[in-house]
Amino acid sequence: LPQGTVDSTLRAYPVPWRQGSLCFTALPTKENFIEIRTRRGDLISREKYDNQTYCMDENRVRKLMAPGVYRYRAGSHGKTKDFIVIY
């Protein structure tokens, strides 16, 4: 996100992801992990976080996810949001 941007909407960036870190921001303090799931809903990973922004290392993204559409959410309840992995 550009410097000075203030937005409380949970989001992943960059989308589509190609290289570098995959980050999630505006994470709620009441949760402590992000769920990443396949488009069908199968759990891939629960990434623990302790800040309002969490970034996954490029090597971890490539290890866990083949190119495609994935879904994420903070915690284990509520709606998921899509993000795309391309490489």
Side-chain angles (χ1 to χ4, degrees):
L1 291 173
Q3 284 284 51
T5 301
V6 176
D7 188 349
S8 61
T9 304
L10 178 62
R11 70 180 72 240
Y13 64 92
V15 172
W17 180 88
R18 288 184 176 90
Q19 64 184 29
S21 296
L22 170 64
C23 296
F24 301 87
T25 192
L27 297 170
T29 54
K30 68 180 192 242
E31 299 292 348
N32 62 359
F33 64 88
I34 299 166
E35 280 191 349
I36 299 174
R37 296 180 172 270
T38 64
R39 195 166 67 183
R40 288 187 337 189
D42 300 330
L43 182 65
I44 291 175
S45 178
R46 280 189 171 175
E47 300 290 319
K48 291 191 179 292
Y49 69 86
D50 59 8
N51 207 327
Q52 287 197 304
T53 300
Y54 173 76
C55 294
M56 292 176 69
D57 177 77
E58 178 175 348
N59 293 330
R60 181 149 173 78
V61 176
R62 289 180 186 272
K63 181 180 169 188
L64 289 174
M65 295 174 259
V69 177
Y70 294 88
R71 304 180 73 78
Y72 70 96
R73 67 181 168 198
S76 58
H77 301 328
K79 287 192 167 202
T80 57
K81 292 185 168 197
D82 291 347
F83 70 97
I84 300 169
V85 171
I86 299 173
Y87 61 85

